Amino acid sequence: MIIFIYGDDALRVKERALDMRQKFVEKFDPADMNVDEFVVRDGLDAERGTVIGAAQASPFLAEKRMVIIRGLVSSLKKAESKAWLDGFSRVPSSTILIFADAVAPAALEKAEIFKTLIELPDVHTYPMPQLEGNELSTWAMGRAQAHGASIAPVMLSMLLARTGNDSWKIDAELQKLSAYANGEPIDQKMIVELVRVESEEDIFAFMDALSSGNSSRALGKLAEEREAGSDDFQMYGMLLRQVRLFLQARDVIDRNARAQKQDLAEALSIHPFVAQKLLNEVRNWSLQKLESLHGLAFKLDKSMKTGLAPDIAVDRLVASFLKVS
């Protein structure tokens, strides 16, 4: 059996694969000895041998085995696909082979591996595009219930208006609101206070201005945020989050020069769209610069807990961004 799980809704792709793994373990493999998982991005011979070997292996004291391969289908070029397809053609019927890729359905369905294997018998596809409209509301309500949150449809609509259809963000905000509400229904006041309307485009534009040393543009963005009523403490949190994301992304890239957005999305648990923006921006930053900024950010965070005004912390961090860029 071959299963394709794919789509630009990375959270649902990840969770569908995990769900299938759990059901497999419960039905075929209580000892959890017949499941292998791989993340494959570049199709190197060493990786191919290991993955194909696992897929072709016989189950150990069980009827079936499962092999989950993340990122392979969307990352291979056509010329690289043949060797993989030769290996997959000899996978026994006892193996359940799952390909999980966080990439838009239309793009993945053009991949050579998909187009070839889809013609075989016993192949199943689970496209996971980003949800919209009623489907998004239904999914989000289910997530709210899973987190023990009580939220009326009108309040859910208000939340979605602030988050958009980013499933990672929706889930994170529902977890936060559920914890804050502590069993009470989530109301408008909670959403307004806790869920910031923010644009990833805006924060990356701000970071781009900082990284390029464009003082006037960066300070202009900062002034716009303050004029719009943004809280300095929240802005500091956004800046700190970006520093940490950049530092983590820099580490991924330094360990794998061929890293792609899927690598960052999975390593940092972020949406692929954000991962692509991060991949574009982080190459402007050296590890030394980011470590310096992170050290300052840590000191400022401690100082705010002992009386430093948040607006001063933001100004000092922004000034340091511009100084080290």
Side-chain angles (χ1 to χ4, degrees):
M1 179 186 296
I2 296 175
I3 298 172
F4 289 95
I5 307 171
Y6 57 99
D8 40 9
D9 192 331
L11 177 61
R12 291 197 300 135
V13 169
K14 178 182 179 181
E15 291 189 339
R16 175 57 69 93
L18 289 174
D19 181 61
M20 287 187 175
R21 184 189 194 283
Q22 181 61 35
K23 289 179 179 177
F24 172 84
V25 169
E26 292 172 359
K27 183 175 181 179
F28 295 109
D29 191 31
D32 199 13
M33 300 176 66
N34 286 281
V35 179
D36 285 310
E37 297 193 39
F38 302 93
V39 177
V40 181
R41 297 298 183 202
D42 51 26
L44 295 176
D45 289 343
E47 289 183 302
R48 187 173 67 248
T50 301
V51 176
I52 295 297
Q56 293 178 349
S58 299
F60 180 73
L61 300 177
E63 293 181 46
K64 301 282 186 180
R65 64 181 281 101
M66 175 177 280
V67 176
I68 302 172
I69 309 173
R70 303 180 187 276
L72 174 67
V73 180
S74 57
S75 64
L76 287 182
K77 297 181 175 63
K78 184 176 181 178
E80 299 171 327
S81 300
K82 185 179 184 304
W84 286 90
L85 286 168
D86 288 344
F88 292 139
S89 70
R90 297 188 295 276
V91 171
S93 59
S94 57
T95 295
I96 299 173
L97 187 59
I98 296 179
F99 297 99
D101 289 74
V103 66
L108 185 124
E109 289 166 2
K110 296 177 182 177
E112 190 68 17
I113 286 184
F114 181 90
K115 291 191 297 182
T116 301
L117 295 182
I118 197 67
E119 300 297 328
L120 298 178
D122 204 14
V123 177
H124 307 268
T125 62
Y126 294 88
M128 299 283 174
Q130 286 192 319
L131 297 174
E132 302 283 352
N134 291 335
E135 288 186 337
L136 179 64
S137 298
T138 300
W139 177 84
M141 184 62 77
R143 300 301 290 192
Q145 293 168 355
H147 294 310
S150 173
I151 184 168
V154 66
M155 291 296 101
L156 183 65
S157 296
M158 180 180 179
L159 172 64
L160 296 179
R162 301 172 81 84
T163 61
N165 65 348
D166 184 340
S167 57
W168 290 103
K169 182 172 177 60
I170 294 167
D171 190 62
E173 296 296 349
L174 283 169
Q175 289 187 59
K176 180 171 65 178
L177 288 165
S178 178
Y180 184 83
N182 195 28
E184 297 295 320
I186 295 170
D187 58 26
Q188 180 175 346
K189 184 173 183 292
M190 295 177 191
I191 294 173
V192 170
E193 290 183 351
L194 297 179
V195 183
R196 184 181 189 277
V197 181
E198 66 180 72
S199 165
E200 292 288 353
E201 290 286 349
D202 287 345
I203 187 61
F204 275 104
F206 186 25
M207 293 299 294
D208 179 61
L210 292 175
S211 65
S212 63
N214 190 332
S215 301
S216 59
R217 184 166 171 244
L219 296 176
K221 286 286 184 183
L222 177 60
E224 287 175 10
E225 288 287 334
R226 283 171 168 162
E227 288 173 7
S230 296
D231 180 76
D232 276 285
F233 188 79
Q234 288 184 326
M235 281 197 290
Y236 183 83
M238 289 171 63
L239 287 170
L240 179 57
R241 173 177 178 266
Q242 290 305 117
V243 173
R244 287 174 173 167
L245 281 176
F246 273 45
L247 194 56
Q248 291 172 309
R250 184 73 259 175
D251 178 63
V252 171
I253 291 173
D254 287 345
R255 286 187 287 108
N256 178 12
R258 299 179 65 182
Q260 301 177 22
K261 69 176 181 181
Q262 293 95 334
D263 298 284
L264 294 187
E266 292 186 5
L268 308 185
S269 295
I270 57 178
H271 191 276
F273 172 78
V274 179
Q276 183 61 62
K277 302 291 289 186
L278 188 59
L279 188 64
N280 294 339
E281 293 287 344
V282 75
R283 299 188 190 280
N284 297 327
W285 297 79
S286 69
L287 181 61
Q288 183 179 4
K289 289 179 181 180
L290 291 169
E291 288 177 339
S292 174
L293 285 169
H294 189 265
L296 174 63
F298 179 75
K299 292 178 182 178
L300 292 172
D301 187 59
K302 290 185 64 176
S303 297
M304 280 193 289
K305 293 174 182 176
T306 57
L308 180 68
D311 60 332
I312 296 176
V314 170
D315 289 343
R316 288 187 60 186
L317 190 56
V318 168
S320 294
F321 267 110
L322 296 172
K323 181 179 179 181
V324 301
S325 62

